[in-house]
mmCIF file of all heavy atoms in Angstrom:
data_model
loop_
_atom_site.group_PDB
_atom_site.id
_atom_site.type_symbol
_atom_site.label_atom_id
_atom_site.label_comp_id
_atom_site.label_asym_id
_atom_site.label_seq_id
_atom_site.Cartn_x
_atom_site.Cartn_y
_atom_site.Cartn_z
ATOM 1 N N ASP Q 1 0.844 -1.201 0.000
ATOM 2 C CA ASP Q 1 0.000 0.000 0.000
ATOM 3 C C ASP Q 1 0.878 1.250 0.000
ATOM 4 O O ASP Q 1 0.706 2.160 -0.823
ATOM 5 C CB ASP Q 1 -0.890 -0.054 1.247
ATOM 6 C CG ASP Q 1 -1.733 1.194 1.483
ATOM 7 O OD1 ASP Q 1 -1.376 2.281 1.006
ATOM 8 O OD2 ASP Q 1 -2.751 1.081 2.185
ATOM 9 N N PHE Q 2 1.852 1.284 0.913
ATOM 10 C CA PHE Q 2 2.670 2.480 1.090
ATOM 11 C C PHE Q 2 3.515 2.817 -0.139
ATOM 12 O O PHE Q 2 3.644 3.980 -0.508
ATOM 13 C CB PHE Q 2 3.593 2.308 2.302
ATOM 14 C CG PHE Q 2 2.867 2.013 3.585
ATOM 15 C CD1 PHE Q 2 3.469 1.225 4.573
ATOM 16 C CD2 PHE Q 2 1.594 2.509 3.828
ATOM 17 C CE1 PHE Q 2 2.814 0.952 5.760
ATOM 18 C CE2 PHE Q 2 0.924 2.232 5.015
ATOM 19 C CZ PHE Q 2 1.539 1.451 5.983
ATOM 20 N N VAL Q 3 4.107 1.785 -0.767
ATOM 21 C CA VAL Q 3 5.054 2.066 -1.857
ATOM 22 C C VAL Q 3 4.404 2.066 -3.237
ATOM 23 O O VAL Q 3 4.916 2.713 -4.161
ATOM 24 C CB VAL Q 3 6.231 1.059 -1.843
ATOM 25 C CG1 VAL Q 3 6.983 1.148 -0.522
ATOM 26 C CG2 VAL Q 3 5.759 -0.364 -2.104
ATOM 27 N N SER Q 4 3.283 1.353 -3.399
ATOM 28 C CA SER Q 4 2.686 1.236 -4.735
ATOM 29 C C SER Q 4 1.449 2.098 -4.930
ATOM 30 O O SER Q 4 1.178 2.546 -6.055
ATOM 31 C CB SER Q 4 2.331 -0.224 -5.030
ATOM 32 O OG SER Q 4 3.492 -1.029 -5.019
ATOM 33 N N GLY Q 5 0.697 2.333 -3.856
ATOM 34 C CA GLY Q 5 -0.498 3.165 -3.975
ATOM 35 C C GLY Q 5 -0.223 4.516 -4.608
ATOM 36 O O GLY Q 5 -0.899 4.924 -5.561
ATOM 37 N N PRO Q 6 0.809 5.258 -4.141
ATOM 38 C CA PRO Q 6 1.107 6.567 -4.719
ATOM 39 C C PRO Q 6 1.591 6.506 -6.164
ATOM 40 O O PRO Q 6 1.617 7.540 -6.847
ATOM 41 C CB PRO Q 6 2.221 7.097 -3.792
ATOM 42 C CG PRO Q 6 2.024 6.358 -2.499
ATOM 43 C CD PRO Q 6 1.592 4.989 -2.912
ATOM 44 N N ARG Q 7 1.994 5.321 -6.631
ATOM 45 C CA ARG Q 7 2.406 5.203 -8.035
ATOM 46 C C ARG Q 7 1.187 5.051 -8.955
ATOM 47 O O ARG Q 7 1.241 5.425 -10.126
ATOM 48 C CB ARG Q 7 3.343 4.004 -8.204
ATOM 49 C CG ARG Q 7 4.644 4.132 -7.427
ATOM 50 C CD ARG Q 7 5.423 2.837 -7.465
ATOM 51 N NE ARG Q 7 5.840 2.482 -8.818
ATOM 52 C CZ ARG Q 7 6.340 1.294 -9.154
ATOM 53 N NH1 ARG Q 7 6.463 0.344 -8.226
ATOM 54 N NH2 ARG Q 7 6.703 1.051 -10.389
ATOM 55 N N VAL Q 8 0.125 4.492 -8.405
ATOM 56 C CA VAL Q 8 -1.108 4.330 -9.185
ATOM 57 C C VAL Q 8 -1.944 5.603 -9.136
ATOM 58 O O VAL Q 8 -2.413 6.109 -10.156
ATOM 59 C CB VAL Q 8 -1.934 3.136 -8.651
ATOM 60 C CG1 VAL Q 8 -3.252 3.017 -9.408
ATOM 61 C CG2 VAL Q 8 -1.133 1.847 -8.759
ATOM 62 N N ILE Q 9 -2.139 6.114 -7.940
ATOM 63 C CA ILE Q 9 -2.882 7.361 -7.750
ATOM 64 C C ILE Q 9 -1.863 8.422 -7.360
ATOM 65 O O ILE Q 9 -1.452 8.526 -6.202
ATOM 66 C CB ILE Q 9 -3.961 7.219 -6.650
ATOM 67 C CG1 ILE Q 9 -4.853 6.009 -6.932
ATOM 68 C CG2 ILE Q 9 -4.774 8.499 -6.535
ATOM 69 C CD1 ILE Q 9 -5.636 6.094 -8.230
ATOM 70 N N ASN Q 10 -1.452 9.219 -8.330
ATOM 71 C CA ASN Q 10 -0.359 10.169 -8.112
ATOM 72 C C ASN Q 10 -0.822 11.608 -8.339
ATOM 73 O O ASN Q 10 -2.019 11.886 -8.436
ATOM 74 C CB ASN Q 10 0.824 9.825 -9.022
ATOM 75 C CG ASN Q 10 0.405 9.743 -10.488
ATOM 76 O OD1 ASN Q 10 -0.602 10.331 -10.890
ATOM 77 N ND2 ASN Q 10 1.168 9.004 -11.276
ATOM 78 N N ALA Q 11 0.128 12.515 -8.434
ATOM 79 C CA ALA Q 11 -0.201 13.931 -8.604
ATOM 80 C C ALA Q 11 -0.984 14.176 -9.892
ATOM 81 O O ALA Q 11 -1.869 15.043 -9.941
ATOM 82 C CB ALA Q 11 1.083 14.761 -8.597
ATOM 83 N N GLU Q 12 -0.656 13.411 -10.933
ATOM 84 C CA GLU Q 12 -1.379 13.562 -12.195
ATOM 85 C C GLU Q 12 -2.841 13.140 -12.031
ATOM 86 O O GLU Q 12 -3.749 13.784 -12.568
ATOM 87 C CB GLU Q 12 -0.712 12.725 -13.291
ATOM 88 C CG GLU Q 12 -1.343 12.911 -14.658
ATOM 89 C CD GLU Q 12 -0.645 12.111 -15.739
ATOM 90 O OE1 GLU Q 12 0.428 11.532 -15.457
ATOM 91 O OE2 GLU Q 12 -1.177 12.051 -16.865
ATOM 92 N N THR Q 13 -3.066 12.060 -11.290
ATOM 93 C CA THR Q 13 -4.432 11.611 -11.024
ATOM 94 C C THR Q 13 -5.202 12.691 -10.268
ATOM 95 O O THR Q 13 -6.357 12.985 -10.585
ATOM 96 C CB THR Q 13 -4.424 10.320 -10.192
ATOM 97 O OG1 THR Q 13 -3.548 9.371 -10.787
ATOM 98 C CG2 THR Q 13 -5.822 9.739 -10.084
ATOM 99 N N LYS Q 14 -4.572 13.268 -9.267
ATOM 100 C CA LYS Q 14 -5.228 14.317 -8.485
ATOM 101 C C LYS Q 14 -5.537 15.532 -9.352
ATOM 102 O O LYS Q 14 -6.591 16.183 -9.182
ATOM 103 C CB LYS Q 14 -4.341 14.714 -7.308
ATOM 104 C CG LYS Q 14 -5.032 15.618 -6.305
ATOM 105 C CD LYS Q 14 -4.169 15.844 -5.080
ATOM 106 C CE LYS Q 14 -4.847 16.774 -4.087
ATOM 107 N NZ LYS Q 14 -4.008 17.003 -2.874
ATOM 108 N N ALA Q 15 -4.656 15.835 -10.305
ATOM 109 C CA ALA Q 15 -4.905 16.957 -11.220
ATOM 110 C C ALA Q 15 -6.146 16.687 -12.072
ATOM 111 O O ALA Q 15 -6.947 17.596 -12.332
ATOM 112 C CB ALA Q 15 -3.686 17.193 -12.112
ATOM 113 N N ARG Q 16 -6.314 15.409 -12.513
ATOM 114 C CA ARG Q 16 -7.515 15.048 -13.289
ATOM 115 C C ARG Q 16 -8.756 15.164 -12.411
ATOM 116 O O ARG Q 16 -9.827 15.548 -12.877
ATOM 117 C CB ARG Q 16 -7.385 13.635 -13.838
ATOM 118 C CG ARG Q 16 -6.226 13.362 -14.769
ATOM 119 C CD ARG Q 16 -6.350 14.065 -16.125
ATOM 120 N NE ARG Q 16 -6.060 15.491 -16.049
ATOM 121 C CZ ARG Q 16 -4.837 16.004 -15.921
ATOM 122 N NH1 ARG Q 16 -3.784 15.195 -15.851
ATOM 123 N NH2 ARG Q 16 -4.655 17.315 -15.871
ATOM 124 N N MET Q 17 -8.614 14.820 -11.131
ATOM 125 C CA MET Q 17 -9.736 14.964 -10.207
ATOM 126 C C MET Q 17 -10.140 16.430 -10.081
ATOM 127 O O MET Q 17 -11.337 16.761 -10.038
ATOM 128 C CB MET Q 17 -9.365 14.409 -8.826
ATOM 129 C CG MET Q 17 -9.310 12.897 -8.748
ATOM 130 S SD MET Q 17 -8.975 12.365 -7.038
ATOM 131 C CE MET Q 17 -9.283 10.602 -7.160
ATOM 132 N N LYS Q 18 -9.149 17.311 -10.028
ATOM 133 C CA LYS Q 18 -9.443 18.742 -9.939
ATOM 134 C C LYS Q 18 -10.152 19.229 -11.196
ATOM 135 O O LYS Q 18 -11.038 20.097 -11.133
ATOM 136 C CB LYS Q 18 -8.164 19.530 -9.702
ATOM 137 C CG LYS Q 18 -7.575 19.326 -8.311
ATOM 138 C CD LYS Q 18 -6.327 20.180 -8.092
ATOM 139 C CE LYS Q 18 -5.798 20.022 -6.671
ATOM 140 N NZ LYS Q 18 -4.580 20.842 -6.435
ATOM 141 N N ASP Q 19 -9.773 18.671 -12.355
ATOM 142 C CA ASP Q 19 -10.450 19.028 -13.609
ATOM 143 C C ASP Q 19 -11.919 18.607 -13.551
ATOM 144 O O ASP Q 19 -12.813 19.351 -13.974
ATOM 145 C CB ASP Q 19 -9.777 18.339 -14.794
ATOM 146 C CG ASP Q 19 -8.393 18.898 -15.097
ATOM 147 O OD1 ASP Q 19 -8.092 20.018 -14.624
ATOM 148 O OD2 ASP Q 19 -7.619 18.203 -15.777
ATOM 149 N N ILE Q 20 -12.149 17.391 -13.044
ATOM 150 C CA ILE Q 20 -13.524 16.881 -12.923
ATOM 151 C C ILE Q 20 -14.332 17.776 -11.997
ATOM 152 O O ILE Q 20 -15.480 18.142 -12.300
ATOM 153 C CB ILE Q 20 -13.508 15.433 -12.411
ATOM 154 C CG1 ILE Q 20 -12.944 14.499 -13.486
ATOM 155 C CG2 ILE Q 20 -14.900 14.979 -11.988
ATOM 156 C CD1 ILE Q 20 -12.647 13.098 -12.997
ATOM 157 N N LEU Q 21 -13.742 18.166 -10.860
ATOM 158 C CA LEU Q 21 -14.434 19.029 -9.910
ATOM 159 C C LEU Q 21 -14.753 20.387 -10.541
ATOM 160 O O LEU Q 21 -15.855 20.924 -10.367
ATOM 161 C CB LEU Q 21 -13.593 19.217 -8.649
ATOM 162 C CG LEU Q 21 -14.204 20.115 -7.561
ATOM 163 C CD1 LEU Q 21 -15.561 19.590 -7.116
ATOM 164 C CD2 LEU Q 21 -13.257 20.227 -6.366
ATOM 165 N N SER Q 22 -13.816 20.934 -11.289
ATOM 166 C CA SER Q 22 -14.038 22.232 -11.940
ATOM 167 C C SER Q 22 -15.201 22.161 -12.922
ATOM 168 O O SER Q 22 -16.020 23.090 -13.009
ATOM 169 C CB SER Q 22 -12.768 22.691 -12.665
ATOM 170 O OG SER Q 22 -11.729 22.967 -11.745
ATOM 171 N N GLU Q 23 -15.287 21.059 -13.675
ATOM 172 C CA GLU Q 23 -16.368 20.902 -14.647
ATOM 173 C C GLU Q 23 -17.722 20.731 -13.963
ATOM 174 O O GLU Q 23 -18.759 21.101 -14.523
ATOM 175 C CB GLU Q 23 -16.073 19.710 -15.557
ATOM 176 C CG GLU Q 23 -14.906 19.955 -16.494
ATOM 177 C CD GLU Q 23 -14.489 18.715 -17.258
ATOM 178 O OE1 GLU Q 23 -15.134 17.653 -17.074
ATOM 179 O OE2 GLU Q 23 -13.521 18.798 -18.043
ATOM 180 N N ILE Q 24 -17.705 20.173 -12.767
ATOM 181 C CA ILE Q 24 -18.947 20.089 -11.982
ATOM 182 C C ILE Q 24 -19.326 21.477 -11.478
ATOM 183 O O ILE Q 24 -20.476 21.914 -11.599
ATOM 184 C CB ILE Q 24 -18.767 19.119 -10.797
ATOM 185 C CG1 ILE Q 24 -18.630 17.679 -11.300
ATOM 186 C CG2 ILE Q 24 -19.940 19.232 -9.823
ATOM 187 C CD1 ILE Q 24 -18.202 16.683 -10.236
ATOM 188 N N GLN Q 25 -18.357 22.197 -10.942
ATOM 189 C CA GLN Q 25 -18.618 23.503 -10.340
ATOM 190 C C GLN Q 25 -19.088 24.539 -11.362
ATOM 191 O O GLN Q 25 -19.987 25.336 -11.070
ATOM 192 C CB GLN Q 25 -17.357 24.017 -9.641
ATOM 193 C CG GLN Q 25 -16.951 23.214 -8.416
ATOM 194 C CD GLN Q 25 -15.590 23.615 -7.883
ATOM 195 O OE1 GLN Q 25 -14.687 23.967 -8.648
ATOM 196 N NE2 GLN Q 25 -15.429 23.566 -6.567
ATOM 197 N N ASP Q 26 -18.489 24.539 -12.553
ATOM 198 C CA ASP Q 26 -18.854 25.574 -13.529
ATOM 199 C C ASP Q 26 -20.052 25.194 -14.404
ATOM 200 O O ASP Q 26 -20.453 25.949 -15.292
ATOM 201 C CB ASP Q 26 -17.653 25.953 -14.411
ATOM 202 C CG ASP Q 26 -17.163 24.822 -15.315
ATOM 203 O OD1 ASP Q 26 -17.927 23.865 -15.576
ATOM 204 O OD2 ASP Q 26 -16.002 24.902 -15.784
ATOM 205 N N GLY Q 27 -20.625 24.011 -14.153
ATOM 206 C CA GLY Q 27 -21.824 23.613 -14.879
ATOM 207 C C GLY Q 27 -21.581 22.844 -16.161
ATOM 208 O O GLY Q 27 -22.533 22.433 -16.831
ATOM 209 N N THR Q 28 -20.313 22.621 -16.520
ATOM 210 C CA THR Q 28 -20.009 21.900 -17.763
ATOM 211 C C THR Q 28 -20.594 20.495 -17.748
ATOM 212 O O THR Q 28 -21.216 20.045 -18.721
ATOM 213 C CB THR Q 28 -18.491 21.824 -17.984
ATOM 214 O OG1 THR Q 28 -17.954 23.147 -18.089
ATOM 215 C CG2 THR Q 28 -18.163 21.048 -19.263
ATOM 216 N N PHE Q 29 -20.400 19.786 -16.637
ATOM 217 C CA PHE Q 29 -20.905 18.416 -16.567
ATOM 218 C C PHE Q 29 -22.413 18.369 -16.729
ATOM 219 O O PHE Q 29 -22.939 17.564 -17.507
ATOM 220 C CB PHE Q 29 -20.516 17.755 -15.241
ATOM 221 C CG PHE Q 29 -21.262 16.468 -14.995
ATOM 222 C CD1 PHE Q 29 -20.916 15.300 -15.673
ATOM 223 C CD2 PHE Q 29 -22.355 16.421 -14.131
ATOM 224 C CE1 PHE Q 29 -21.629 14.119 -15.487
ATOM 225 C CE2 PHE Q 29 -23.067 15.246 -13.931
ATOM 226 C CZ PHE Q 29 -22.699 14.085 -14.617
ATOM 227 N N ILE Q 30 -23.140 19.222 -16.005
ATOM 228 C CA ILE Q 30 -24.602 19.149 -16.065
ATOM 229 C C ILE Q 30 -25.113 19.563 -17.435
ATOM 230 O O ILE Q 30 -26.119 19.028 -17.931
ATOM 231 C CB ILE Q 30 -25.248 19.986 -14.933
ATOM 232 C CG1 ILE Q 30 -26.710 19.563 -14.736
ATOM 233 C CG2 ILE Q 30 -25.139 21.459 -15.204
ATOM 234 C CD1 ILE Q 30 -26.883 18.134 -14.288
ATOM 235 N N GLN Q 31 -24.431 20.493 -18.095
ATOM 236 C CA GLN Q 31 -24.823 20.869 -19.457
ATOM 237 C C GLN Q 31 -24.698 19.684 -20.397
ATOM 238 O O GLN Q 31 -25.592 19.411 -21.215
ATOM 239 C CB GLN Q 31 -23.955 22.027 -19.955
ATOM 240 C CG GLN Q 31 -24.232 23.359 -19.267
ATOM 241 C CD GLN Q 31 -23.240 24.432 -19.665
ATOM 242 O OE1 GLN Q 31 -22.432 24.249 -20.577
ATOM 243 N NE2 GLN Q 31 -23.289 25.557 -18.967
ATOM 244 N N HIS Q 32 -23.587 18.956 -20.292
ATOM 245 C CA HIS Q 32 -23.387 17.771 -21.132
ATOM 246 C C HIS Q 32 -24.401 16.685 -20.809
ATOM 247 O O HIS Q 32 -24.916 16.013 -21.714
ATOM 248 C CB HIS Q 32 -21.971 17.235 -20.943
ATOM 249 C CG HIS Q 32 -20.908 18.127 -21.505
ATOM 250 N ND1 HIS Q 32 -19.558 17.933 -21.268
ATOM 251 C CD2 HIS Q 32 -20.985 19.226 -22.299
ATOM 252 C CE1 HIS Q 32 -18.869 18.861 -21.884
ATOM 253 N NE2 HIS Q 32 -19.701 19.663 -22.507
ATOM 254 N N TRP Q 33 -24.696 16.506 -19.518
ATOM 255 C CA TRP Q 33 -25.626 15.452 -19.099
ATOM 256 C C TRP Q 33 -27.051 15.758 -19.584
ATOM 257 O O TRP Q 33 -27.752 14.880 -20.075
ATOM 258 C CB TRP Q 33 -25.576 15.289 -17.595
ATOM 259 C CG TRP Q 33 -26.546 14.329 -16.969
ATOM 260 C CD1 TRP Q 33 -27.178 14.499 -15.784
ATOM 261 C CD2 TRP Q 33 -26.969 13.038 -17.442
ATOM 262 N NE1 TRP Q 33 -27.976 13.415 -15.485
ATOM 263 C CE2 TRP Q 33 -27.868 12.496 -16.504
ATOM 264 C CE3 TRP Q 33 -26.684 12.295 -18.583
ATOM 265 C CZ2 TRP Q 33 -28.494 11.261 -16.653
ATOM 266 C CZ3 TRP Q 33 -27.298 11.043 -18.741
ATOM 267 C CH2 TRP Q 33 -28.192 10.549 -17.788
ATOM 268 N N VAL Q 34 -27.470 17.007 -19.470
ATOM 269 C CA VAL Q 34 -28.807 17.383 -19.944
ATOM 270 C C VAL Q 34 -28.905 17.195 -21.457
ATOM 271 O O VAL Q 34 -29.904 16.668 -21.971
ATOM 272 C CB VAL Q 34 -29.131 18.844 -19.557
ATOM 273 C CG1 VAL Q 34 -30.408 19.320 -20.249
ATOM 274 C CG2 VAL Q 34 -29.292 18.964 -18.041
ATOM 275 N N ALA Q 35 -27.871 17.611 -22.181
ATOM 276 C CA ALA Q 35 -27.874 17.449 -23.639
ATOM 277 C C ALA Q 35 -27.910 15.973 -24.023
ATOM 278 O O ALA Q 35 -28.614 15.580 -24.960
ATOM 279 C CB ALA Q 35 -26.639 18.125 -24.236
ATOM 280 N N GLU Q 36 -27.157 15.153 -23.296
ATOM 281 C CA GLU Q 36 -27.141 13.712 -23.559
ATOM 282 C C GLU Q 36 -28.518 13.101 -23.300
ATOM 283 O O GLU Q 36 -29.014 12.293 -24.099
ATOM 284 C CB GLU Q 36 -26.098 13.045 -22.657
ATOM 285 C CG GLU Q 36 -26.059 11.528 -22.699
ATOM 286 C CD GLU Q 36 -25.519 10.964 -24.003
ATOM 287 O OE1 GLU Q 36 -24.909 11.729 -24.785
ATOM 288 O OE2 GLU Q 36 -25.710 9.760 -24.250
ATOM 289 N N TYR Q 37 -29.138 13.491 -22.218
ATOM 290 C CA TYR Q 37 -30.459 12.961 -21.860
ATOM 291 C C TYR Q 37 -31.503 13.366 -22.900
ATOM 292 O O TYR Q 37 -32.303 12.542 -23.350
ATOM 293 C CB TYR Q 37 -30.859 13.461 -20.477
ATOM 294 C CG TYR Q 37 -32.104 12.814 -19.933
ATOM 295 C CD1 TYR Q 37 -32.036 11.607 -19.236
ATOM 296 C CD2 TYR Q 37 -33.352 13.402 -20.111
ATOM 297 C CE1 TYR Q 37 -33.175 11.002 -18.734
ATOM 298 C CE2 TYR Q 37 -34.502 12.808 -19.618
ATOM 299 C CZ TYR Q 37 -34.407 11.605 -18.926
ATOM 300 O OH TYR Q 37 -35.550 11.019 -18.443
ATOM 301 N N ASP Q 38 -31.470 14.643 -23.284
ATOM 302 C CA ASP Q 38 -32.443 15.144 -24.257
ATOM 303 C C ASP Q 38 -32.260 14.513 -25.636
ATOM 304 O O ASP Q 38 -33.212 14.425 -26.419
ATOM 305 C CB ASP Q 38 -32.338 16.670 -24.377
ATOM 306 C CG ASP Q 38 -32.841 17.387 -23.127
ATOM 307 O OD1 ASP Q 38 -33.545 16.742 -22.323
ATOM 308 O OD2 ASP Q 38 -32.521 18.581 -22.957
ATOM 309 N N ALA Q 39 -31.040 14.062 -25.937
ATOM 310 C CA ALA Q 39 -30.758 13.436 -27.237
ATOM 311 C C ALA Q 39 -31.133 11.955 -27.261
ATOM 312 O O ALA Q 39 -30.961 11.285 -28.285
ATOM 313 C CB ALA Q 39 -29.286 13.609 -27.587
ATOM 314 N N GLY Q 40 -31.634 11.439 -26.157
ATOM 315 C CA GLY Q 40 -32.017 10.029 -26.117
ATOM 316 C C GLY Q 40 -30.957 9.102 -25.557
ATOM 317 O O GLY Q 40 -31.035 7.882 -25.738
ATOM 318 N N LEU Q 41 -29.915 9.651 -24.913
ATOM 319 C CA LEU Q 41 -28.869 8.879 -24.230
ATOM 320 C C LEU Q 41 -28.021 7.998 -25.156
ATOM 321 O O LEU Q 41 -27.653 6.878 -24.780
ATOM 322 C CB LEU Q 41 -29.495 7.989 -23.145
ATOM 323 C CG LEU Q 41 -30.345 8.697 -22.091
ATOM 324 C CD1 LEU Q 41 -31.040 7.683 -21.185
ATOM 325 C CD2 LEU Q 41 -29.494 9.642 -21.259
ATOM 326 N N PRO Q 42 -27.629 8.466 -26.344
ATOM 327 C CA PRO Q 42 -26.834 7.615 -27.234
ATOM 328 C C PRO Q 42 -25.477 7.221 -26.672
ATOM 329 O O PRO Q 42 -25.076 6.051 -26.745
ATOM 330 C CB PRO Q 42 -26.690 8.477 -28.504
ATOM 331 C CG PRO Q 42 -26.855 9.885 -28.016
ATOM 332 C CD PRO Q 42 -27.866 9.799 -26.928
#
């Protein structure tokens, strides 16, 4: 856990998490989800 966990989930992973959070906060995710739902969920 100690030596391998940080190699799998690293600073780059955390940066992607921050990107995901930003897209939730600014409404990007919900805009995409509403458009996907309205299009019939392809």
Side-chain angles (χ1 to χ4, degrees):
D1 174 336
F2 303 149
V3 300
S4 298
R7 297 171 64 192
V8 177
I9 307 298
N10 54 23
E12 184 178 352
T13 310
K14 190 173 179 180
R16 300 291 76 75
M17 286 184 169
K18 290 183 177 180
D19 290 342
I20 291 169
L21 180 58
S22 294
E23 291 172 1
I24 291 170
Q25 292 171 325
D26 65 20
T28 299
F29 167 76
I30 197 63
Q31 290 173 9
H32 291 170
W33 175 217
V34 170
E36 174 70 15
Y37 189 86
D38 290 343
L41 304 173

